[in-house]
Every structure is written in structure tokens, then in C-alpha cells.
């Protein structure tokens, strides 16, 4: 048996061993906890590398987006043309397209027929030379007939080439024309049988004829002869609005912008061609440019105006202008030139997606609408496509430009560009917007609110 002293010593040793085990166990648990905490805040080096690469990639992407969308210009060397010339341009990277504004609302008043003294006489005339002239000829005839109290005879249409003669309803909506002038002047669709060309006095009328001119130069002849035939001439192709609005302007506004609509078949063809051009322009959100550039006009027209300024631009000059203001090579371009000419190759080198009517016209429509001997319908198609395109470029000055501008202003499509020789590598498209728009001095601004 153990004595008391031995038993006490044994219990003391056991207590010390148990205490050491508890300390060791506590230290182990504490070490494990500390190790777990350290592990939780440490990252595998491979994860650090992956995170760094990801951040670098996002930084590079952000830089690319910034360059693409916010840098003002980027240098581009264009392909050498057939003459071996190298042209370098700086392209604005935000693009030169301008969003169309809202359509304007007519603000002219409709004169009342009851306010005028009516006569038994007739005013006859023909629409000649193309749709840009038709608009002005209609306006002049309506103003004269109204001031004379005469009845207007629906005109025929005579093209620029011998034998190109059509009825009004072959191109325009006759019912719409008569209806739009109801209460303003009397209109008949056919010339009365008792009127012959022998007893018609031919009277020359200046474009944008006034009430005073009618009273002095036309009314005496009308009162003497009873019936007259008008022949409009164009001392100027200026379509600037008058300094002061007048009743004549109101009447001209109605005639110019409220009477002529295409007849259904012609309207359908224009719609088909516009839709095809938009389909070809998928990379530019369906937007396309229409350029009035006709080779035969350039060949017979001097490109220097009376003041010495340049009044027309050829295919290459137009192409360089468009590239320098920021249009890229994938831009779709429609030309008013009906059939391809080798002189247009320079434009196609810059803009491969350049088309004429002949290229995009449906096969079953070519026979009727692409007639070289009677080009009136071709000219009408050009006029209305240029009025509807997202951008219109007038490479040739004249009445076509002036009256297309009027229709575009009315519809809110004011990106009307006038080419120029740009000496630097780039320029802003907004610097070449037509003065009709920037100064708001087109007659259309008197007609629409």
C-alpha cells in the first residue's frame, strides 16, 4: 500500500501531465485557427496572375473603345488610283451622318376662290425638262391663273428629247392635283375643243412670277386674246425666300409643295429602289448617300460660275471630298447618272458600293423606266430618291439642287452637302451644309413652320 506521501506525489505528477496535454491541445487548436485565417487571406499566385491579365485586357479594351468613339480623327491612306496617286486623309471617327429632324408643317393659307373675279378664259402650259422644272412651272401657272381669274388646263409633259411626250397622269397623280387646288382656282383635265393652238397667245413668264408682273405684262394679252399659253423661263435658279412674305408666296407654297404627288406605279418603283439601297447599306444602319452627278451635264457645263467659284465636281473630286469629311469605303452611294460611265471608276475605287438606276432597277421595270429616248421617268426617279436619301450631295449646281433642297427641308432631311476642294487631310461635314439650310433662306422656310 502507498503511504500518503507517495500518493500525493503521484497525483501531483498526473496533474502536471494532464495540464501539459491541455496546453498542447490548446496550442494545436490555436495554431490550426491561425493557419486557417492565414490561408483565407492568401491567394494562389496563379490566381493573382489571372486577375492581372484580366484587368490588363479590360484596360486595353477601354482604350480601344475610347479611340474608336471619342478620338477626333484617325489617319488613313487611301488605295492608289489608276494614276498611281496616293492620298492620305484624316477621318473623323464619330462619323459624318446627321439624324433627320421632324417633318415641318405647312403654314401657308389657302386663298378663297370666291374672293377673285372669274373669267371665261383658259391658261394652258406644258411641264418641260424634268421634275425640278415641273415644280416651278406649276407654281408660276397657278399664280398667273389665280391673278387672272382664269381656268387652268391640266398640263402635258414634254421631256428634253424630241418625242418624249406624256400625259400628266403618266407621272403624277391627276386627282390629287385637282383636289389640292379646289377652292383656289378652277382646273380642267382636258383643253376645251373650241380652243386651238391658233388662237392661243404664247406668253413668256419669268420663274417666280409676281402679281405686279402679271398685271403689267400678261393681263393685257389675256384680256385681248381670251386664252393664253405660258412658257416659263428661268432668269435665275435661286430659290431664296423673299424678304417679306406675301399672298403670292402663300399661293406658290401651295403649288410647289402641296399639289404634285407621283402616280402609284412610279411611286412604287421609287420605293423599291430606296428599299434596295437601304438593304445594301446594312453596315451603316440602312443609310445611304444620293449624289447628283451626271456625266453628260459635266461635259457640256463649264464648272466655273460667273464669280469664278467652282460650280460642279467630277467623280474623283466628289470621292475625295466624301472621304475627307469622314464617309468610309463601305458607304452606299446612289448616282443620278443612269448608266455606268468609265469616268465614274474613280468614285467606285473609293466607294465600291456605288450604284446607278440600271444596276438596282428590277428587271421587269427596266423596259418602261429606263428608256434612253424618253428619259423623263428616269429624271423623276432621280429627283425623288435624292429627296429621300439620308444625305444629298449636289456635285452640280442648278435648279435640281435648289428644288431637291426644298423638298428635303420640308421633310426634315437637312444633310445637304456642297462639295469643295479640301486642302487639309480632313474636315467636318457640317462645314459644307448648304447655305439654304445654315442660313434658313430657302423659300421652303417661308412655306413650312
Amino acid at each position: 500500500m502507498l503511504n500518503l506521501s507517495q500518493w500525493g506525489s503521484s497525483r501531483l505528477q498526473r496533474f502536471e501531465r494532464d495540464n501539459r496535454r491541455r496546453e498542447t491541445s490548446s496550442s494545436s487548436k490555436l495554431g490550426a485557427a491561425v493557419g486557417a485565417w492565414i490561408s483565407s487571406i492568401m491567394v494562389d499566385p496563379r490566381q493573382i496572375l489571372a486577375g492581372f491579365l484580366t484587368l490588363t485586357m479590360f484596360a486595353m479594351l477601354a482604350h480601344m473603345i475610347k479611340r474608336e468613339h471619342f478620338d477626333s480623327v484617325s489617319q488613313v491612306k487611301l488605295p492608289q488610283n489608276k494614276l498611281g496617286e496616293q492620298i492620305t486623309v484624316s477621318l473623323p471617327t464619330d462619323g459624318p451622318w446627321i439624324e433627320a429632324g421632324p417633318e415641318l408643317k405647312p403654314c401657308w393659307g389657302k386663298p378663297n376662290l370666291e374672293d377673285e373675279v372669274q373669267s371665261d378664259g383658259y391658261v394652258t402650259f406644258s411641264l418641260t425638262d424634268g421634275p425640278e422644272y415641273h415644280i416651278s412651272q406649276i407654281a408660276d401657272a397657278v399664280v398667273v391663273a389665280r391673278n387672272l381669274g382664269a381656268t387652268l388646263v391640266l398640263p402635258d409633259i414634254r421631256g428634253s428629247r424630241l418625242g418624249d411626250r406624256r400625259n400628266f397622269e403618266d407621272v403624277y397623280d391627276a386627282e390629287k392635283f385637282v383636289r389640292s387646288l379646289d377652292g383656289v382656282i378652277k382646273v380642267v383635265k382636258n383643253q376645251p375643243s373650241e380652243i386651238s393652238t391658233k388662237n392661243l397667245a404664247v406668253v413668256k413668264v419669268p420663274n417666280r412670277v409676281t402679281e405686279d408682273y402679271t398685271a403689267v405684262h400678261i393681263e393685257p394679252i389675256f384680256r385681248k386674246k381670251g386664252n393664253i399659253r405660258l412658257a416659263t423661263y428661268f432668269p435665275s435658279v435661286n430659290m431664296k425666300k423673299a424678304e417679306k412674305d406675301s399672298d403670292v408666296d402663300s399661293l406658290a407654297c401651295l403649288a410647289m409643295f402641296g399639289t404634285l404627288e407621283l402616280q402609284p406605279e412610279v411611286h412604287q418603283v421609287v420605293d423599291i429602289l430606296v428599299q434596295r439601297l437601304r438593304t445594301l447599306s446594312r453596315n451603316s444602319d440602312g443609310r445611304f448617300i444620293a449624289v447628283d452627278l451626271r456625266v453628260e451635264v459635266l461635259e457640256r457645263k463649264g464648272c466655273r460660275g460667273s464669280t469664278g467659284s467652282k460650280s460642279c465636281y467630277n467623280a474623283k473630286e466628289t470621292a475625295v471630298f466624301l472621304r475627307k469629311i469622314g464617309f468610309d469605303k463601305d458607304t452606299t452611294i446612289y448616282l443620278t447618272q443612269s448608266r455606268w460611265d468609265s469616268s465614274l471608276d474613280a468614285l467606285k475605287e473609293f466607294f465600291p458600293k456605288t450604284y446607278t438606276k440600271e444596276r438596282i432597277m428590277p428587271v421587269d421595270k427596266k423596259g418602261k423606266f429606263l428608256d434612253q429616248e424618253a428619259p423623263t421617268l428616269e429624271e423623276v426617279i432621280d429627283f425623288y430618291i435624292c429627296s429621300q436619301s439620308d444625305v444629298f450631295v449636289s456635285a452640280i449646281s442648278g435648279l435640281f439642287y435648289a428644288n431637291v433642297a426644298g423638298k428635303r427641308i420640308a421633310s426634315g432631311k437637312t444633310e445637304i452637302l456642297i462639295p469643295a476642294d479640301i486642302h487639309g487631310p480632313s474636315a467636318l461635314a457640317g462645314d459644307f451644309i448648304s447655305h439654304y439650310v445654315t442660313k434658313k433662306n430657302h423659300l421652303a422656310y417661308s412655306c413650312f413652320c
Side-chain angles (χ1 to χ4, degrees):
M1 293 184 63
L2 295 172
N3 59 30
L4 181 61
S5 176
Q6 289 174 325
W7 178 83
S9 176
S10 175
R11 293 291 294 175
L12 180 60
Q13 291 174 356
R14 186 183 300 168
F15 175 81
E16 289 175 347
R17 285 196 303 268
D18 292 341
N19 191 47
R20 284 195 298 270
R21 289 194 193 102
R22 284 193 295 268
E23 289 177 352
T24 301
S25 176
S26 297
S27 297
S28 298
K29 290 180 179 178
L30 179 60
V34 172
W37 176 76
I38 293 173
S39 296
S40 69
I41 63 171
M42 293 182 67
V43 180
D44 191 313
R46 290 173 294 182
Q47 293 178 319
I48 295 176
L49 178 60
F52 176 79
L53 292 175
T54 300
L55 291 174
T56 302
M57 180 182 70
F58 277 113
M60 292 175 64
L61 180 61
H63 182 64
M64 290 170 64
I65 292 173
K66 177 180 180 296
R67 285 180 59 84
E68 181 176 355
H69 292 286
F70 300 106
D71 286 1
S72 59
V73 296
S74 59
Q75 293 287 332
V76 175
K77 285 189 176 181
L78 303 180
Q80 287 187 349
N81 58 25
K82 292 181 178 179
L83 298 177
E85 298 170 320
Q86 180 76 59
I87 299 173
T88 301
V89 301
S90 296
L91 303 180
T93 53
D94 56 351
W97 302 99
I98 298 175
E99 293 298 324
E103 288 190 22
L104 303 182
K105 295 181 179 180
C107 58
W108 61 78
K110 193 172 184 179
N112 193 333
L113 184 60
E114 295 177 356
D115 297 337
E116 297 294 323
V117 177
Q118 293 299 298
S119 72
D120 295 328
Y122 291 86
V123 171
T124 69
F125 69 111
S126 293
L127 300 179
T128 62
D129 296 324
E132 68 272 30
Y133 290 89
H134 298 174
I135 290 175
S136 296
Q137 290 161 347
I138 287 286
D140 292 331
V142 169
V143 168
V144 170
R146 168 78 180 182
N147 290 332
L148 296 177
T151 298
L152 187 68
V153 179
L154 196 70
D156 61 352
I157 300 174
R158 303 183 184 187
S160 56
R161 298 191 181 181
L162 188 65
D164 185 5
R165 187 168 179 173
R166 303 171 189 270
N167 294 324
F168 183 87
E169 54 267 28
D170 291 337
V171 177
Y172 299 109
D173 186 333
E175 297 298 330
K176 157 70 177 178
F177 180 80
V178 174
R179 189 169 58 251
S180 65
L181 292 172
D182 183 38
V184 179
I185 58 173
K186 290 183 178 180
V187 180
V188 295
K189 292 184 178 180
N190 299 300
Q191 183 172 299
S193 56
E194 65 269 19
I195 299 177
S196 68
T197 54
K198 293 181 180 179
N199 59 6
L200 278 175
V202 178
V203 180
K204 288 188 176 182
V205 179
N207 180 38
R208 301 181 70 176
V209 64
T210 64
E211 185 176 1
D212 290 342
Y213 186 95
T214 302
V216 174
H217 299 282
I218 302 175
E219 188 170 1
I221 301 173
F222 178 74
R223 300 302 173 198
K224 181 178 180 180
K225 291 288 187 177
N227 305 294
I228 59 174
R229 180 173 179 80
L230 302 182
T232 299
Y233 67 94
F234 293 83
S236 169
V237 294
N238 188 349
M239 292 303 296
K240 290 183 180 179
K241 64 181 180 181
E243 293 184 3
K244 294 182 179 180
D245 293 340
S246 66
D247 291 338
V248 172
D249 282 341
S250 183
L251 191 59
C253 287
L254 169 63
M256 291 182 70
F257 298 106
T259 61
L260 286 182
E261 284 187 8
L262 297 178
Q263 58 100 320
E265 186 182 8
V266 181
H267 199 298
Q268 181 188 43
V269 170
V270 171
D271 287 346
I272 289 172
L273 298 186
V274 169
Q275 186 55 48
R276 288 191 171 187
L277 288 163
R278 297 206 182 283
T279 300
L280 291 164
S281 308
R282 287 188 295 268
N283 292 341
S284 56
D285 296 326
R287 296 175 294 191
F288 70 94
I289 300 173
V291 179
D292 180 29
L293 197 162
R294 291 160 283 164
V295 174
E296 68 277 9
V297 175
L298 290 175
E299 289 177 346
R300 70 171 183 260
K301 180 177 181 177
C303 286
R304 291 290 172 186
S306 57
T307 60
S309 60
K310 199 166 184 176
S311 61
C312 55
Y313 290 80
N314 62 31
K316 180 187 173 183
E317 292 168 332
T318 303
V320 172
F321 166 75
L322 290 173
R323 287 307 304 269
K324 285 190 174 185
I325 63 173
F327 289 104
D328 62 42
K329 67 178 182 180
D330 201 42
T331 301
T332 299
I333 293 179
Y334 172 81
L335 294 178
T336 54
Q337 172 73 18
S338 292
R339 292 155 190 84
W340 197 260
D341 185 90
S342 59
S343 64
L344 302 174
D345 290 346
L347 179 58
K348 202 171 185 67
E349 287 181 25
F350 285 85
F351 299 97
K353 294 167 67 173
T354 298
Y355 303 96
T356 61
K357 287 180 291 299
E358 187 178 40
R359 178 75 183 278
I360 60 175
M361 179 74 69
V363 175
D364 62 330
K365 300 293 185 181
K366 287 186 176 182
K368 180 174 182 177
F369 290 90
L370 295 180
D371 186 351
Q372 288 181 288
E373 300 304 318
T376 293
L377 289 177
E378 296 184 20
E379 295 165 354
V380 168
I381 288 170
D382 287 335
F383 186 85
Y384 282 86
I385 289 180
C386 289
S387 299
Q388 295 181 38
S389 63
D390 299 275
V391 178
F392 172 57
V393 178
S394 179
I396 304 169
S397 65
L399 196 61
F400 187 96
Y401 150 60
N403 276 335
V404 166
K407 289 189 71 67
R408 292 183 65 90
I409 289 168
S411 64
K413 295 180 178 293
T414 55
E415 191 164 6
I416 305 166
L417 301 177
I418 308 302
D421 294 321
I422 301 173
H423 300 295
S426 68
L428 297 175
D431 293 339
F432 303 95
I433 297 289
S434 166
H435 65 81
Y436 282 137
V437 174
T438 57
K439 296 182 179 180
K440 294 186 180 297
N441 61 4
H442 194 284
L443 175 63
Y445 285 109
S446 294
C447 300
F448 292 90
C449 305

